[in-house]
Amino acid sequence: MSTELNTLQEKSLHALKQSFGYDSFREGQWEAISAVLNQRDTLVLMPTGGGKSICYQIPALVLEGLTLVVSPLISLMQDQVQQLSEQGVKAAYLNSSLSKEEEQRIYKSLGDGDIRLLYVAPEKLLRHYFLQHISEFDLSLIAIDEAHCVSHWGHDFRQDYRALGQLKNNFPNTPIIALTATADTATQADILHQLNMHDPFVYRGGFDRPNIRYNLLSKYKGFDQVVSFVEQQGGNGGIVYCGSRAKVDDLTLKLQHAGIPCDGYHAGKSNDEREDVQNRFLRDELQVVVATVAFGMGINKSNVRFVVHHDVPRSVESFYQETGRAGRDGMPAEALLLYDERDAARIKKWIADGATPERFQIEMQKFDAMQAFAESQTCRRQVLLNYFSDYLGEPCGNCDICQDPPKMFDATRQAQMVLSCIYRLKSDTSAQYVIDVLRGKSIRKIIDNQHNLLSTYAIGKTESDNYWHNIIQQLIHQGLVYIDMTRNGILQLNESARPILKGEKTIEMALPRLSVSAAKKNKYVPTNIDKQLFAKLKQLRKQIADENNLPAFVIFSDASLADMTAKLPTSKSDFIRVNGVGETKLERYGEPFIHLIEEYLAANSSHLERSFL
């Protein structure tokens, strides 16, 4: 390594500790940073929470001049600037939320050299007057966040991002760093092409988020399943995604009636309403936000502990990005997907009806991959990572399939019961009606249609609705039954059902899994956390955050609090060694946390002494 690069690495490590409180770079960060410092265009692929932002924030602090950051959402800019300010980094944003006076103050600060990072939306950046204005400053780096938006192969393609390729014409000598967590091979190649990158350095980090435990349940009474799962979370915060505004509103009411502090977020609400919901969530005043995908990339909250998908997403990339909003601090997190074949059939119909000819094939391929993930009976993480060509050789041990493997059984009899019932109902019925007949329910429609006289009536009464729903789902997966969306989603028999009905062939299924097991522990749960002290530290953090009108995670992350319980710092020299504690945060917040730890140790000295004996 050259002397110059050695010096730059020392400066970078100093900036990392001073501003962000970390002693060393994570995997891939220094490789990307050193490429940028050597003036090379760079593409960085790292998982959400993997530390992508550091890859341009450190060069911004080491290089002379201004770093321009292209960001897609106002809320994301605001969050990142707020966090950087708390870390002592001079940053600002320019977007439509600012008044003319505020905008002028920022331009003056730029002229005075008081700002190191400036966040802008692509729409603003590409205006002629702005490009002219910004060219007056010494531009050392252009960072393009959420770079998958550049590519038409990406799951979140945006036309304004596509035009960013012209930046190379305006600033030919300024390196560009593009960053994303969600890009398959085709999207990666398209990003490089669209941004006109010259001889780029590409860092392809792993896509794995090992701290997230993936769970999937066959959806049956999805609202009730979500309520049950959220109640298992012990008050931890999370996001629940729904496929429509109506579902968001319905589920929000249900969770509120269950006593869970939550609110809904979707495009049907006003800007003020959405901003209020997001701010309350960021400040831990809401445990749960129920949202459509409108609640998207602007979520920079590090202590989200779970993400639920009430409805199946339209692509693996969307699923990966949305679940990646949990556990950004590296602490244990949960992801739950509720899957129903009827939802899948509806989405395929929406794609067929709504996609342009150019997008149809792409969107259908992406959804087919998402459907394959949901229907797989092998390690969830292996299937997920394989999609991104990030092959995992062994099962992960931290998903529902690994921790509670499917138990296969001879399901020929159960299959014959369902198939026979569908046949006798003249293939003109919904899954729920088949279940009602199988279980012998005395509902008016059954009596009026005299379906209580069928030989299949009540033959499945010993099993629950959820059990039979799962069996029907598996029959659909195995191609014996299909959903006819042209006839309101009714069940129809395929020809392959005939040999099962005749007893000429047997069938195996997985024993239905009806709930997420609360007994199964996330294997990434730290074992050295003093839970009592951790709770006291969280309480203090919330108090300080409220006094400073800040989200709690901006003060210190959950991971930093956990490290405090392990290191028990009782002086400033000890406290600065806690992960995530930089010099600015030490001076602003260190004292009350040190004082609390000292008090806790004094009050528990006898107990702690006994525990070491």
Side-chain angles (χ1 to χ4, degrees):
M1 187 183 290
S2 67
T3 305
E4 183 182 359
L5 194 56
N6 260 323
T7 303
L8 287 173
Q9 186 171 21
E10 288 174 10
K11 286 183 177 178
S12 298
L13 284 167
H14 176 72
L16 181 72
K17 181 59 185 175
Q18 182 182 46
S19 297
F20 302 100
Y22 299 110
D23 294 316
S24 59
F25 290 111
R26 296 188 199 178
E27 185 177 351
Q29 286 179 331
W30 172 244
E31 289 91 330
I33 290 166
S34 61
V36 171
L37 295 178
N38 279 306
Q39 301 295 298
R40 287 189 69 182
D41 291 338
T42 302
L43 172 62
V44 174
L45 296 105
M46 285 183 181
T48 303
K52 293 186 298 298
S53 299
I54 290 288
C55 296
Y56 65 82
Q57 289 168 346
I58 292 297
L61 296 176
V62 172
L63 295 170
E64 295 296 326
L66 175 68
T67 290
L68 197 64
V69 184
V70 182
S71 185
L73 294 174
I74 290 174
S75 56
L76 184 57
M77 296 182 208
Q78 291 170 335
D79 286 352
Q80 290 182 327
V81 168
Q82 185 181 60
Q83 290 187 59
L84 286 168
S85 298
E86 283 299 304
Q87 289 156 334
V89 177
K90 295 175 179 177
Y93 57 80
L94 283 172
N95 57 47
S96 58
S97 72
L98 299 178
S99 66
K100 288 289 184 187
E101 293 75 17
E102 289 172 319
E103 197 167 305
Q104 287 304 315
R105 279 198 294 272
I106 289 171
Y107 279 122
K108 184 179 185 306
S109 296
L110 286 169
D112 294 340
D114 290 337
I115 294 173
R116 304 304 297 269
L117 291 106
L118 179 67
Y119 288 75
V120 294
E123 300 88 341
K124 186 173 188 69
L125 171 61
L126 295 171
R127 290 176 185 166
H128 180 68
Y129 82 88
F130 183 81
L131 286 172
Q132 276 195 320
H133 202 139
I134 209 71
S135 64
E136 297 172 7
F137 303 106
D138 178 17
L139 202 59
S140 60
L141 176 64
I142 299 171
I144 299 175
D145 204 4
E146 309 293 353
H148 57 273
C149 298
V150 168
S151 172
H152 78 284
W153 292 103
H155 67 287
D156 197 21
F157 169 61
R158 300 188 182 197
Q159 197 65 46
D160 289 308
Y161 258 71
R162 189 62 168 266
L164 292 173
Q166 66 182 270
L167 288 172
K168 268 295 172 189
N169 299 326
N170 294 86
F171 306 100
N173 299 318
T174 301
I176 291 177
I177 179 170
L179 311 101
T180 180
T182 46
D184 57 18
T185 305
T187 305
Q188 293 170 31
D190 201 30
I191 291 169
L192 297 176
H193 173 70
Q194 296 300 334
L195 293 178
N196 296 316
M197 287 190 166
H198 173 68
D199 185 29
F201 170 77
V202 179
Y203 178 79
R204 295 181 178 89
F207 286 85
D208 193 11
R209 293 288 307 283
N211 60 314
I212 299 176
R213 181 182 175 218
Y214 295 103
N215 306 282
L216 185 142
L217 288 177
S218 175
K219 182 161 74 174
Y220 180 75
K221 295 186 177 178
F223 290 168
D224 294 339
Q225 288 172 295
V226 172
V227 171
S228 174
F229 181 78
V230 172
E231 286 176 338
Q232 287 182 20
Q233 300 305 308
N236 286 324
I239 305 167
V240 179
Y241 284 106
C242 296
S244 71
R245 299 175 189 181
K247 287 181 182 177
V248 167
D249 293 337
D250 288 345
L251 183 52
T252 299
L253 283 174
K254 194 142 194 170
L255 288 169
Q256 287 172 344
H257 288 155
I260 295 166
C262 71
D263 212 334
Y265 185 109
H266 57 66
K269 293 179 178 285
S270 69
N271 287 335
D272 288 344
E273 287 175 314
R274 293 200 301 271
E275 187 174 344
D276 176 63
V277 170
Q278 179 159 314
N279 286 338
R280 284 188 288 144
F281 183 58
L282 291 174
R283 298 180 194 283
D284 296 338
E285 293 166 12
L286 295 175
Q287 182 190 349
V288 178
V289 169
V290 186
T292 59
V293 292
F295 196 61
M297 288 178 285
I299 310 310
N300 207 29
K301 181 176 164 75
S302 67
N303 60 337
V304 174
R305 298 268 69 89
F306 66 88
V307 170
V308 178
H309 282 91
H310 178 275
D311 304 299
V312 62
R314 289 173 67 146
S315 71
V316 174
E317 289 97 334
S318 295
F319 174 77
Y320 175 80
Q321 187 177 59
E322 287 153 15
T323 56
R325 288 168 190 142
R328 292 169 66 98
D329 53 11
M331 298 283 282
E334 299 277 333
L336 171 64
L337 170 61
L338 299 180
Y339 181 69
D340 187 338
E341 275 286 351
R342 290 171 299 180
D343 290 344
R346 274 192 289 270
I347 288 175
K348 286 187 173 181
K349 190 171 187 303
W350 292 339
I351 293 172
D353 292 344
T356 62
E358 296 79 17
R359 293 290 301 172
F360 172 77
Q361 201 63 37
I362 296 171
E363 291 196 27
M364 197 61 83
Q365 286 174 358
K366 287 183 177 295
F367 185 68
D368 284 344
M370 185 66 228
Q371 193 171 9
F373 168 82
E375 294 173 2
S376 172
Q377 293 294 315
T378 58
C379 170
R380 306 274 181 218
R381 188 170 267 99
Q382 281 184 312
V383 177
L384 187 63
L385 295 179
N386 287 353
Y387 175 82
F388 293 107
S389 302
D390 185 14
Y391 302 106
L392 186 66
E394 298 179 355
C396 71
N398 197 33
C399 72
D400 57 342
I401 296 291
C402 289
Q403 295 192 341
D404 188 14
K407 298 174 180 63
M408 305 305 291
F409 74 109
D410 184 343
T412 307
R413 178 172 162 272
Q414 287 85 344
Q416 288 172 334
M417 292 162 71
V418 172
L419 298 173
S420 179
C421 192
I422 295 172
Y423 176 77
R424 282 171 171 74
L425 291 168
K426 308 299 183 186
S427 295
D428 190 15
T429 186
S430 67
Q432 185 57 55
Y433 193 69
V434 173
I435 293 168
D436 291 341
V437 172
L438 285 171
R439 296 201 61 215
K441 294 183 182 179
S442 298
I443 60 178
R444 182 164 186 168
K445 185 177 178 181
I446 290 176
I447 305 301
D448 288 349
N449 292 330
Q450 296 189 335
H451 289 154
N452 57 319
L453 303 180
L454 295 176
S455 60
T456 52
Y457 182 73
I459 60 174
K461 63 183 178 183
T462 58
E463 300 293 352
S464 68
D465 279 24
N466 200 351
Y467 176 90
W468 287 115
H469 181 78
N470 192 288
I471 295 295
I472 291 172
Q473 289 271 73
Q474 292 190 61
L475 288 172
I476 296 169
H477 295 171
Q478 297 197 31
L480 283 78
V481 176
Y482 72 97
I483 300 169
D484 189 345
M485 290 307 295
T486 66
R487 299 175 64 192
N488 297 316
I490 66 170
L491 300 182
Q492 301 272 46
L493 297 182
N494 280 324
E495 186 61 30
S496 55
R498 190 182 298 276
I500 302 294
L501 278 168
K502 288 187 171 183
E504 298 170 355
K505 187 178 178 181
T506 60
I507 183 172
E508 274 201 338
M509 291 188 190
L511 199 65
R513 182 184 284 116
L514 306 181
S515 63
V516 175
S517 173
K520 298 291 181 182
K521 296 295 184 184
N522 188 315
K523 73 175 190 176
Y524 284 85
V525 173
T527 57
N528 62 341
I529 290 181
D530 183 328
K531 291 182 179 178
Q532 186 180 355
L533 177 57
F534 186 77
K536 288 179 178 293
L537 291 169
K538 281 184 74 173
Q539 189 177 3
L540 174 61
R541 179 181 67 179
K542 181 72 168 73
Q543 177 189 328
I544 292 173
D546 289 346
E547 290 170 356
N548 289 272
N549 198 29
L550 291 169
F553 68 88
V554 171
I555 306 296
F556 291 120
S557 69
D558 283 3
S560 293
L561 299 188
D563 202 35
M564 289 178 206
T565 72
K567 292 177 177 171
L568 299 173
T570 56
S571 66
K572 285 190 173 184
S573 58
D574 292 337
F575 200 78
I576 194 69
R577 295 190 179 95
V578 172
N579 277 332
V581 177
E583 291 179 10
T584 300
K585 287 195 174 184
L586 171 67
E587 292 305 316
R588 286 182 183 174
Y589 308 121
E591 217 167 89
F593 284 90
I594 291 169
H595 183 62
L596 186 152
I597 292 168
E598 286 176 334
E599 284 188 339
Y600 181 79
L601 291 174
N604 293 274
S605 58
S606 58
H607 167 72
L608 291 170
E609 285 171 8
R610 285 196 300 272
S611 68
F612 284 108
L613 293 176

